[in-house]
Structure formats: C-alpha cells, structure tokens
Amino acid sequence: MQIYAGAQGGDESGLWRELRARFGAVAPVEVAPGVPGWLLLGYHENLRVLRDQDRFAADPLAWSRRSGHPGAAGPRNGALAGDGPEHRRLRSVIVDSLAQISTAQVVPVVERTARGLIGAALPTGGMDLIGQYAAPLPALVLNRLLGLPDAYGRLLAGLAADIWSGDPARAEPATRGLHTYAAGLVERKRENPGDDLASRLLAHPAGLSDDEAVEQLLLLWAAGHEPTTHLVGNALYRLLSVPEIAAAYGGASLPADDFLDYVMWVDPPLRMLTGRYSVRDVELGGAHIRKGEALVLGFGPAHADPVVTARADTGDALALAGNRAHLMWGAGAHGCPAQSLAREIAGTAIDTLLNRLPRMAPAAAPAELRWRSSLSVHGLAELPVVFPAEGERGPGPAPERPERERGRPRRMFGRGGGRPRAQGARYQAPAAAPEEPPAPPVRPERPARPAKPRPAGARYQAPAAAPEEPPAPPVRPERPARPAKPRPAGARYQAPAAPAAPSLDALDALLEKRGDDGPG
C-alpha cells in the first residue's frame, strides 16, 4: 500500500478493516516511492511504540541513512524529531513557555478573533466554516500569542492557505515565507522582547540559538495550526450532521471536553504520522521489523480497532464521549505539551460560533461535502453554512431550547455553565446601599446693609490726573535690504540629502511582498 498516494474520501474505515483482516495489527506499506515502512493498525501497538524510546526512536537520521530518503538528512533542531537529553532540553523550552499562558489570556483573544471572522460574513448570510473560520482562526490566535499585531496574523493565515492549496506554485514560496516569518519574529523579539510566547522562548534558560528558536516556532505552528483547524471543523461537522450529537450538546447532557474527546475518536484531525524508527530488530504485532525501518503511527486505524471500540459498535453514538484514552495527544516522552491550550482554543471557537449564529444550517448534504485527499490529515476542504443575513437576530422564532435549559443562561462551550452563587452562613445578600445623609439646614439670608456715603473734606481729595504720555522717539529711515547672494555651486556645494527611508525588517518586507495590510 502506498500511503503517500493520498485518499479519495473522508471515511477510510473500510480500508482499515481490509488491512487488518489481511495483515493483522501491523501492515507493510510504502512511505515514499520505493521506501518500505510499517503502518500500525492496532491500538496497543501504537501505544507501545509511542512509549518505548529504547526500541523506537523519534530521530529519523538512522532511517534516512539506511533508506537513502532525503527527507530527514538535514539539520534537526526541533523537539519533535529528537531523543535523549537534547530532546528534553528543547521540549522544556516549549513546556515552560506554554505553561505561562493562562485561560484568562487565551479566551479573550479567541473570542475577539472569532467575532471578527463571523462579523465579516454576517452581511452575506453564509460562510465556509473551514476557509473563513476554522483555518484562519488558529493562525490569528497564535500570531497574537507570539506578540505580533493582527496584520501578521492575516499574513500567517494566507501562508497557511497557500501551503494547503495543493498547488506547488503557491505552496513552495509560501513554505519559504513561513520560515521567513519565524526568522523575522526571532530577530524582532531579540531586539524588542515583550510579555509574549516568542519572547519567553528566547529568554528561557536553555539558551536557544536563533536556528533552534526558528525550529521551535515552526514546530508550534505545525503542531497547533492544522490539527486545531480540523478539530474545530470536524466538531462543527458532527454538530451539523448528526442530530443525536447536536441534541446532546444543546441539552447539556454532553459536556464540552467529552464532546471534543468524542470527535478525536471518530474524526481525528490526524490519521497517520511517520514519526518513529526502529533502533534494533524487533517483533511487533506479528511483524518482524528490522533496524532503521520507519513506523507510521496510525491514529485513525487505532481508534477503529475493535479492541477499544466494542462499545461504539453497539450503536451508541456517544459511547466514546469522555474517553480520554485516544492517541491524538500522543503518549510517552513526546506527548503533546499544548493539550490544554488546544482544547481552550477549539472549545471557545465552537462556542462563540454557535452562540453568535444559533440559526446556522448546513448549505450542503454530508454526501456532497469534499474531504481533503490525504491519508494523514483528516478534514473537510470546505463546510458551507447559511444563516439570516442580519446575523443571529434574523427573522423567525428562535429554536426552542430543551425543557431543562429554560430559565437559565446558555452553557458556554468549553468552560461549562456559570456556577450559581453559593448561599449560606458565609454568603449573605449584599447590604443595602446606605441612605443619603440629610441635607444641612438652610440659614436665612441676612439683609444687606445700605452703603454709607463717602465723606468729603481736607483728608479726601479727587484722584490725580493721569500723567501725560512721553513724546515718541524719532523714526529712523529704513535701510534698503541687500539682495541675497546666490549660493555658490560646485564640488564643495551640494543639495541637501533627502531623508533616508526607514528600512524594513524581515517581517515587514514579507508583509509588503505579500501585499497584505500594514501592521495595525
């Protein structure tokens, strides 16, 4: 099987069943033309490889040398493709920097970004929830957390759209532009650090070099942008296409985090990832894997493994809701350090959209939707919806809320409903506002005394007359102005130099080259 050839549709469950029936838990594949590898189909086989660093390495160098594949022959400064002490050093930078981002910082950024994207589409009465919402939102949010104005977020979103376009003429320059964005960000934050994620990465005691910092920023983008886009997109698809799921969420019987776990089981944003390489010959799932061979982590087939989906096969669509054992966050030393951040971004984005557009409806049937042609990334190419052009206050009655939700505010997705104010001895009703003090008594006005006549006599004289003005000084005749001498010309006399135009740094040069708006 050539896993690099792409996929035809969104549901590959039949392919996983066919491979499992033929090969068992581990199937031989081609990861590149003429380059063999192994696809892990079993849940427990995937989990073992993710956890076992002694037998399965994340560094692809040995595989690259053995296979002759150039994909991993270059420098590797990223935490994702490393092992041992160096991996721990690079990972600590990301973990410690992300730990300083609080929910109170993230939620307002996501809400403001989401409202801006929704507001831009309100006058039209429709939008593509992937291209106009789920795809640009993570780029705009990440850019803001990195400490740059929104103009650079629009730049980053445009680069991502070109990289995903499938058109090499757009993807190749956009990939170079993404590297320029990261390098320019490092340069700017070295000179002018701030209270942001990029500055914390650079100030970490691990002492990243510029190249290492660029690689960590690119890793944050790659690991957080596309998976978050399709986590949001796949969740919205489920809410719009599966009435049972929509009713469970709307009725508050499906908690927010449980819903996201359900999506990561049945519609994982990533289905496959070439990410481990055998350190020695080993037996795994009945297959003999030789030293240096590549192993493809199969999140999609692992989540469809009958060993872990027996309950879901009974017809209960929500059997996997709340099950945290899915593999989307990885496991072991390379487990995702941004799980909480990704949940907060995805949950807030979904919640804001549903609250702003409660009358939103799909503009196409599920069978008409187009999925990305990839066995690795699992997501829709577009998800069109319609709504009243005036926004959430369109004509017609609002949909009736379930009986148990009436009389209380709508639940905020991702953060739960507002907790009722506690009552009891420690909690009392607020004290009444103090009464205004009485006005002071008004004293009666005293009648004015009549003015006494001014006395006259020797001691009282008329005021002295004003002194006369002194004579004006004589006026001197004006001297005619001398004609101005012409300014000499020649080698020693030159026109004043024009003021130098301010030089652009790498980020602004990229912004100008792409033709986006200036910083704002």
Side-chain angles (χ1 to χ4, degrees), residues 40 143 175 177 183 331 366 477:
L40 307 182
N143 174 80
T175 301

Side-chain angles (χ1 to χ4, degrees), residues 117-214:
L117 294 171
I118 297 166
L122 282 178
T124 67
M127 68 187 301
D128 170 17
L129 293 183
I130 305 300
Q132 293 176 264
Y133 191 71
L137 186 140
L140 292 164
V141 171
L142 177 60
N143 174 80
R144 177 58 71 175
L145 295 177
L146 290 172
L148 291 178
D150 288 340
Y152 303 100
R154 294 189 290 272
L155 167 67
L156 187 58
L159 292 171
D162 286 350
I163 291 173
W164 297 357
S165 67
D167 180 2
R170 294 173 58 191
E172 292 174 5
T175 301
R176 294 192 296 270
L178 181 62
H179 190 279
T180 301
Y181 171 94
L185 177 61
V186 169
E187 177 186 0
R188 184 175 292 190
K189 292 300 179 180
R190 289 282 193 202
E191 296 178 359
N192 298 295
D195 184 16
D196 53 67
L197 179 56
S199 298
R200 295 187 195 108
L201 286 170
L202 296 174
H204 193 274
L208 296 181
S209 68
D210 285 358
D211 287 343
E212 288 174 333
V214 168

Side-chain angles (χ1 to χ4, degrees), residues 69 176 239:
H69 192 269
R176 294 192 296 270
L239 288 171

Side-chain angles (χ1 to χ4, degrees), residues 41-137:
L41 301 168
Y43 175 87
H44 294 295
E45 285 71 20
N46 275 275
L47 192 59
R48 175 185 170 186
V49 170
L50 285 168
R51 289 175 170 173
D52 190 346
Q53 288 185 286
D54 293 332
R55 294 178 176 83
F56 307 103
D59 189 339
L61 183 59
W63 169 70
S64 181
R65 289 172 175 170
R66 182 182 184 279
S67 65
H69 192 269
R76 298 172 314 285
N77 297 319
L80 192 62
D83 297 295
E86 186 62 9
H87 164 255
R88 289 191 291 272
R89 181 181 79 90
L90 295 175
R91 179 181 169 86
S92 69
V93 178
I94 296 177
V95 172
D96 295 344
S97 300
L98 289 175
Q100 299 181 56
I101 301 177
S102 67
T103 297
Q105 292 174 295
V106 175
V107 170
V109 173
V110 179
E111 288 180 338
R112 181 176 66 84
T113 303
R115 288 196 298 266
L117 294 171
I118 297 166
L122 282 178
T124 67
M127 68 187 301
D128 170 17
L129 293 183
I130 305 300
Q132 293 176 264
Y133 191 71
L137 186 140

Side-chain angles (χ1 to χ4, degrees), residues 364-463:
E368 298 172 345
L369 297 175
R370 183 170 60 92
W371 293 81
R372 291 188 58 184
S373 58
S374 169
L375 280 173
S376 177
V377 176
H378 177 56
L380 287 161
E382 60 268 325
L383 180 56
V385 295
V386 293
F387 44 81
E390 294 78 16
E392 72 274 23
R393 296 182 180 273
E400 188 171 329
R401 296 170 66 183
E403 186 70 30
R404 57 182 151 178
E405 281 202 87
R406 294 176 187 168
R408 64 182 178 85
R410 178 183 293 273
R411 172 170 64 97
M412 290 298 290
F413 196 101
R415 295 182 298 283
R419 298 178 61 183
R421 185 168 182 176
Q423 300 178 0
R426 296 179 61 192
Y427 300 90
Q428 300 177 5
E435 297 181 0
E436 296 185 3
V442 179
R443 299 179 62 184
E445 295 185 2
R446 178 179 298 176
R449 295 180 179 179
K452 293 183 179 181
R454 186 171 185 178
R459 296 179 58 189
Y460 299 93
Q461 302 176 3

